[in-house]
Short mmCIF file of all heavy atoms in Angstrom, two decimals:
data_model
loop_
_atom_site.label_atom_id
_atom_site.label_comp_id
_atom_site.label_asym_id
_atom_site.label_seq_id
_atom_site.Cartn_x
_atom_site.Cartn_y
_atom_site.Cartn_z
N SER A 21 20.19 -0.22 -3.54
CA SER A 21 20.39 1.06 -2.87
C SER A 21 20.44 2.18 -3.89
O SER A 21 20.88 1.98 -5.03
CB SER A 21 21.70 1.06 -2.06
OG SER A 21 21.66 0.08 -1.04
N ALA A 29 18.36 7.37 -0.19
CA ALA A 29 16.93 7.19 -0.39
C ALA A 29 16.50 5.73 -0.27
O ALA A 29 15.39 5.43 0.15
CB ALA A 29 16.51 7.75 -1.74
N GLY A 40 2.85 -13.80 -10.49
CA GLY A 40 1.46 -13.81 -10.04
C GLY A 40 1.23 -13.10 -8.72
O GLY A 40 0.08 -12.89 -8.33
N GLY A 47 4.18 3.11 2.70
CA GLY A 47 4.92 3.94 3.64
C GLY A 47 4.61 5.40 3.42
O GLY A 47 3.98 5.78 2.43
N SER A 49 5.29 9.56 2.78
CA SER A 49 6.06 10.29 1.78
C SER A 49 7.52 10.35 2.20
O SER A 49 7.83 10.59 3.37
CB SER A 49 5.51 11.71 1.62
OG SER A 49 4.20 11.68 1.14
N ILE A 71 19.37 -6.16 -9.56
CA ILE A 71 18.00 -6.60 -9.81
C ILE A 71 18.07 -7.77 -10.79
O ILE A 71 18.73 -7.67 -11.83
CB ILE A 71 17.13 -5.47 -10.40
CG1 ILE A 71 17.16 -4.23 -9.50
CG2 ILE A 71 15.70 -5.95 -10.61
CD1 ILE A 71 16.48 -3.01 -10.13
N ILE A 78 19.16 -7.44 -14.64
CA ILE A 78 18.50 -6.46 -15.50
C ILE A 78 18.75 -5.02 -15.09
O ILE A 78 18.31 -4.10 -15.79
CB ILE A 78 16.98 -6.71 -15.57
CG1 ILE A 78 16.34 -6.49 -14.19
CG2 ILE A 78 16.66 -8.09 -16.12
CD1 ILE A 78 14.82 -6.48 -14.23
N TYR A 95 -1.43 9.32 -15.19
CA TYR A 95 -1.88 8.61 -16.39
C TYR A 95 -0.86 8.65 -17.52
O TYR A 95 -0.63 7.66 -18.19
CB TYR A 95 -3.24 9.11 -16.90
CG TYR A 95 -4.27 9.36 -15.84
CD1 TYR A 95 -5.07 10.49 -15.88
CD2 TYR A 95 -4.43 8.49 -14.77
CE1 TYR A 95 -6.02 10.74 -14.89
CE2 TYR A 95 -5.37 8.73 -13.78
CZ TYR A 95 -6.15 9.86 -13.84
OH TYR A 95 -7.07 10.10 -12.86
N ARG A 123 -5.26 -6.63 -32.96
CA ARG A 123 -5.80 -7.75 -32.19
C ARG A 123 -5.50 -7.59 -30.70
O ARG A 123 -6.39 -7.76 -29.85
CB ARG A 123 -5.21 -9.06 -32.71
CG ARG A 123 -5.75 -10.31 -32.00
CD ARG A 123 -5.06 -11.55 -32.49
NE ARG A 123 -3.63 -11.56 -32.16
CZ ARG A 123 -3.16 -11.86 -30.96
NH1 ARG A 123 -3.99 -12.15 -29.95
NH2 ARG A 123 -1.86 -11.85 -30.74
N VAL A 132 -10.12 -4.17 -19.95
CA VAL A 132 -10.38 -3.01 -19.08
C VAL A 132 -11.77 -2.40 -19.31
O VAL A 132 -12.10 -1.35 -18.77
CB VAL A 132 -9.29 -1.92 -19.25
CG1 VAL A 132 -7.93 -2.47 -18.89
CG2 VAL A 132 -9.30 -1.32 -20.65
N ALA A 138 -12.93 3.40 -27.69
CA ALA A 138 -11.65 3.23 -28.38
C ALA A 138 -11.25 4.43 -29.24
O ALA A 138 -10.06 4.73 -29.36
CB ALA A 138 -11.67 1.97 -29.24
N ARG A 152 -7.95 3.44 -16.72
CA ARG A 152 -8.11 2.15 -17.39
C ARG A 152 -7.32 2.09 -18.69
O ARG A 152 -6.75 1.05 -19.04
CB ARG A 152 -9.58 1.88 -17.67
CG ARG A 152 -10.42 1.57 -16.45
CD ARG A 152 -11.90 1.54 -16.84
NE ARG A 152 -12.76 1.54 -15.68
CZ ARG A 152 -13.47 0.47 -15.29
NH1 ARG A 152 -13.40 -0.64 -15.97
NH2 ARG A 152 -14.25 0.55 -14.23
N ALA A 154 -4.54 3.72 -19.21
CA ALA A 154 -3.15 3.56 -18.78
C ALA A 154 -2.84 2.11 -18.41
O ALA A 154 -1.76 1.60 -18.72
CB ALA A 154 -2.85 4.49 -17.61
N ASP A 169 2.47 3.34 -9.72
CA ASP A 169 2.90 4.37 -8.78
C ASP A 169 1.71 5.22 -8.34
O ASP A 169 1.31 6.15 -9.03
CB ASP A 169 3.97 5.25 -9.44
CG ASP A 169 4.66 6.17 -8.45
OD1 ASP A 169 4.37 6.07 -7.24
OD2 ASP A 169 5.48 7.00 -8.87
N ALA A 208 -3.58 -0.86 0.45
CA ALA A 208 -2.62 -1.96 0.46
C ALA A 208 -3.24 -3.22 1.05
O ALA A 208 -3.06 -4.32 0.51
CB ALA A 208 -1.38 -1.55 1.26
N TYR A 247 -2.68 1.75 14.03
CA TYR A 247 -2.68 1.74 15.49
C TYR A 247 -2.47 3.19 15.94
O TYR A 247 -1.37 3.60 16.29
CB TYR A 247 -1.58 0.83 16.03
CG TYR A 247 -1.89 -0.64 15.89
CD1 TYR A 247 -1.80 -1.28 14.66
CD2 TYR A 247 -2.29 -1.39 16.98
CE1 TYR A 247 -2.10 -2.64 14.53
CE2 TYR A 247 -2.58 -2.75 16.87
CZ TYR A 247 -2.48 -3.36 15.63
OH TYR A 247 -2.77 -4.70 15.51
N ILE A 251 1.53 4.99 22.48
CA ILE A 251 1.64 5.65 23.78
C ILE A 251 2.91 5.20 24.50
O ILE A 251 3.11 4.00 24.74
CB ILE A 251 0.40 5.32 24.65
CG1 ILE A 251 -0.88 5.69 23.90
CG2 ILE A 251 0.47 6.05 25.99
CD1 ILE A 251 -2.13 5.11 24.51
N VAL A 285 6.58 1.19 24.51
CA VAL A 285 5.56 1.85 23.70
C VAL A 285 4.40 0.87 23.55
O VAL A 285 4.60 -0.29 23.16
CB VAL A 285 6.10 2.24 22.31
CG1 VAL A 285 4.98 2.80 21.44
CG2 VAL A 285 7.22 3.26 22.44
N ILE A 301 -9.59 2.51 32.27
CA ILE A 301 -9.08 3.70 31.60
C ILE A 301 -10.15 4.79 31.61
O ILE A 301 -11.24 4.60 31.06
CB ILE A 301 -8.66 3.38 30.15
CG1 ILE A 301 -7.61 2.27 30.14
CG2 ILE A 301 -8.15 4.63 29.45
CD1 ILE A 301 -7.33 1.70 28.76
N ALA A 302 -9.85 5.91 32.25
CA ALA A 302 -10.78 7.03 32.34
C ALA A 302 -10.39 8.09 31.32
O ALA A 302 -9.24 8.51 31.24
CB ALA A 302 -10.78 7.61 33.74
N ALA A 308 -16.07 14.20 19.23
CA ALA A 308 -16.83 13.01 18.82
C ALA A 308 -17.45 13.28 17.46
O ALA A 308 -18.25 14.21 17.31
CB ALA A 308 -17.90 12.68 19.85
N GLU A 326 -3.39 11.78 25.11
CA GLU A 326 -4.53 11.75 24.19
C GLU A 326 -4.81 10.31 23.76
O GLU A 326 -3.89 9.53 23.51
CB GLU A 326 -4.25 12.61 22.97
CG GLU A 326 -5.48 12.84 22.10
CD GLU A 326 -5.29 13.98 21.11
OE1 GLU A 326 -4.14 14.20 20.69
OE2 GLU A 326 -6.28 14.63 20.76
N TYR A 328 -7.47 7.83 21.25
CA TYR A 328 -8.47 7.76 20.19
C TYR A 328 -9.24 6.44 20.34
O TYR A 328 -8.65 5.38 20.54
CB TYR A 328 -7.79 7.81 18.82
CG TYR A 328 -7.05 9.09 18.56
CD1 TYR A 328 -5.70 9.21 18.87
CD2 TYR A 328 -7.70 10.20 18.03
CE1 TYR A 328 -5.01 10.38 18.65
CE2 TYR A 328 -7.02 11.39 17.80
CZ TYR A 328 -5.68 11.48 18.12
OH TYR A 328 -5.00 12.66 17.90
N LYS A 336 -20.52 12.95 23.25
CA LYS A 336 -20.30 14.37 22.96
C LYS A 336 -19.13 14.88 23.79
O LYS A 336 -18.68 14.26 24.76
CB LYS A 336 -21.55 15.18 23.26
CG LYS A 336 -21.98 15.21 24.70
CD LYS A 336 -23.26 16.00 24.88
CE LYS A 336 -23.66 16.15 26.35
NZ LYS A 336 -23.83 14.86 27.03
N ARG A 349 -4.77 -7.33 22.52
CA ARG A 349 -4.80 -6.29 21.49
C ARG A 349 -4.01 -5.05 21.90
O ARG A 349 -4.03 -4.05 21.20
CB ARG A 349 -6.24 -5.90 21.15
CG ARG A 349 -7.13 -7.06 20.72
CD ARG A 349 -6.52 -7.92 19.63
NE ARG A 349 -6.06 -7.13 18.51
CZ ARG A 349 -4.92 -7.36 17.85
NH1 ARG A 349 -4.14 -8.35 18.21
NH2 ARG A 349 -4.57 -6.59 16.85
#
Side-chain angles (χ1 to χ4, degrees):
S21 298
S49 296
I71 305 172
I78 65 170
Y95 317 137
R123 182 184 65 78
V132 300
R152 288 171 192 251
D169 191 5
Y247 285 76
I251 305 166
V285 175
I301 302 169
E326 191 165 30
Y328 297 92
K336 65 182 185 303
R349 305 309 309 140

